[in-house]
């Protein structure tokens, strides 16, 4: 599941990407139907890196660093990141069903609003938590 | 003195040069970019292709120009601001009788055009050369 949020003082578009497993880059390139080593291939590879290597993974961040400070994952989400109650509630519900939850701040400007969410869902959402 | 506390951003534009063996078409463009027509994210590159086609300022079919035609005098080009690489590509296109297209992308249009306008890349295959590296005219 992909949850769009507005993040930070500049109110930038961000996403919480909740997946049952981390997709391999080869799998994402196949899903996108792009060839490795091409412009489109590099674009999707960079996006994969941006999500799975340069974003905070909230479940491990909570377990490793914040579990002693916040009693629940929902509390961590709302107090550490100031997510609103609805988002914190959604995250708390998804916590046990998702293997990973990435807090992704996109650098590609086309990943905005409905188009951006749809784009990410087309790449990653076949791995929705059950 | 005025102090602005909000966002300040400049608009941007960048030129592109395309050299192709035959008339530019979507299938060859997609193949150059490395994406299938039935990709679930094809709309991104379809938007890019449309932006390119809509913003071509000039098309030159070098198979129809005189051998005395001077690349440096092409309309819209400011002499002395071209990279040697681009000039060389154009000279070779003329020698080989290829087609060249050049134009400008603008960051104040769609998000898709903005993205490709602000990216910097050069790609080439056996059919098309696309230079999106430089802002030269």
């Amino acid at each position: 599941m992909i949850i769009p949020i507005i993040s930070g003082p500049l109110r930038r578009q961000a996403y919480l990407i909740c997946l049952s497993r981390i997709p391999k880059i080869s799998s994402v390139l196949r899903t996108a139907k792009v060839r490795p080593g091409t412009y489109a291939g590099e674009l999707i590879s960079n996006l994969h890196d941006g999500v799975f290597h340069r974003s905070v993974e909230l479940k491990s961040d909570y377990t490793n660093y914040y579990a002693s400070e916040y009693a629940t994952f929902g509390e961590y989400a709302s107090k550490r990141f100031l997510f609103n109650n609805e988002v914190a509630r959604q995250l708390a519900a998804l916590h046990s069903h998702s293997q990973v939850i990435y807090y992704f701040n996109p650098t590609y400007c086309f990943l905005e609003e409905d188009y951006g969410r749809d784009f990410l869902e087309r790449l990653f959402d076949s791995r929705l938590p059950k | 003195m005025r102090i602005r506390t909000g966002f300040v951003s400049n608009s941007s534009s960048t030129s592109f040069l395309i050299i192709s063996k035959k008339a530019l078409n979507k299938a060859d463009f997609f193949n150059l970019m490395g994406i299938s027509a039935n990709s679930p994210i094809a709309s991104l590159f379809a938007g890019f292709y449309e932006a390119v086609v809509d913003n071509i300022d000039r098309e030159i079919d070098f198979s129809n120009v005189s051998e005395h035609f001077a690349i440096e005098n092409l309309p819209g080009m400011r002499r002395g601001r071209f990279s040697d690489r681009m000039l060389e590509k154009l000279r070779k296109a003329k020698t080989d009788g290829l087609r060249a297209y050049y134009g400008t992308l603008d960051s104040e249009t769609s998000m898709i055009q903005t993205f490709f306008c602000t990216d910097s890349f050069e790609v080439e295959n056996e059919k098309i050369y696309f230079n999106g590296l430089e802002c030269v005219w």
Side-chain angles (χ1 to χ4, degrees), chain A residues 32-44:
Chain A
K33 297 184 190 297
V34 299
R35 296 197 308 276
T38 61
Y39 181 81
E42 291 301 308
L43 188 145
I44 297 304

Side-chain angles (χ1 to χ4, degrees), chain A residues 32-35 39-40 115 122, chain B residues 31 33-34 36 39-40 43 119:
Chain A
K33 297 184 190 297
V34 299
R35 296 197 308 276
Y39 181 81
Y115 185 87
R122 285 166 185 263
Chain B
N31 190 41
M33 293 297 158
S36 299
S39 162
S43 67
D119 199 11

Side-chain angles (χ1 to χ4, degrees), chain B residues 20-39:
Chain B
S20 66
K21 285 189 175 176
K22 58 182 186 178
L24 185 64
N25 64 81
K26 191 173 174 181
D28 287 349
F29 184 85
F30 268 45
N31 190 41
L32 173 71
M33 293 297 158
I35 185 165
S36 299
N38 64 349
S39 162

Side-chain angles (χ1 to χ4, degrees), chain B residues 18-132:
Chain B
I18 299 169
I19 293 170
S20 66
K21 285 189 175 176
K22 58 182 186 178
L24 185 64
N25 64 81
K26 191 173 174 181
D28 287 349
F29 184 85
F30 268 45
N31 190 41
L32 173 71
M33 293 297 158
I35 185 165
S36 299
N38 64 349
S39 162
I41 56 160
S43 67
L44 178 66
F45 285 88
F48 181 23
Y49 177 73
E50 286 165 18
V52 165
V53 169
D54 288 349
N55 289 285
I56 290 171
D57 294 330
R58 187 164 169 90
E59 173 185 354
I60 308 137
D61 183 351
F62 284 115
S63 65
N64 288 330
V65 300
S66 132
E67 64 176 287
H68 303 295
F69 185 89
I71 299 296
E72 289 77 2
N73 293 336
L74 279 168
M77 297 189 177
R78 294 183 217 162
R79 196 169 184 170
R81 292 194 62 193
F82 286 90
S83 69
D84 291 342
R85 179 169 177 73
M86 292 178 83
L87 282 171
E88 186 54 38
K89 283 284 184 186
L90 282 165
R91 288 194 188 99
K92 186 164 189 324
K94 179 185 165 189
T95 302
D96 296 344
L98 306 180
R99 291 169 187 259
Y101 305 81
Y102 58 86
T104 307
L105 296 177
D106 185 348
S107 71
E108 290 197 352
T109 53
S110 67
M111 278 301 186
I112 290 177
Q113 187 173 161
T114 297
F115 173 75
F116 290 107
C117 170
T118 53
D119 199 11
S120 182
F121 59 94
E122 180 183 41
V123 286
E124 183 169 21
N125 66 7
E126 69 284 357
K127 289 184 177 176
I128 308 180
Y129 166 78
F130 192 125
N131 185 317

Side-chain angles (χ1 to χ4, degrees), chain A residues 40-121:
Chain A
E42 291 301 308
L43 188 145
I44 297 304
S45 296
N46 282 334
L47 179 57
H48 183 277
D49 270 356
V51 175
F52 300 109
H53 297 289
R54 298 195 296 271
S55 299
V56 177
E57 199 285 290
L58 300 186
K59 287 189 64 165
S60 59
D61 189 55
Y62 172 67
T63 303
N64 293 335
Y65 304 111
Y66 291 96
S68 60
E69 188 173 345
Y70 302 113
T72 65
F73 184 73
E75 184 187 0
Y76 154 81
S78 62
K79 292 184 176 171
R80 166 104 171 83
F81 296 101
L82 303 179
F83 296 146
N84 66 38
N85 290 342
E86 172 59 19
V87 170
R89 189 194 59 73
Q90 277 184 286
L91 278 181
L94 286 164
H95 178 259
S96 58
H97 300 289
S98 307
Q99 183 72 28
V100 289
I101 300 176
Y102 282 94
Y103 182 11
F104 174 51
N105 288 281
T107 53
Y108 293 164
C109 65
F110 60 83
L111 291 174
E112 296 269 342
E113 302 174 344
D114 290 345
Y115 185 87
R117 180 183 186 174
D118 183 59
F119 193 95
L120 294 172
E121 283 178 344

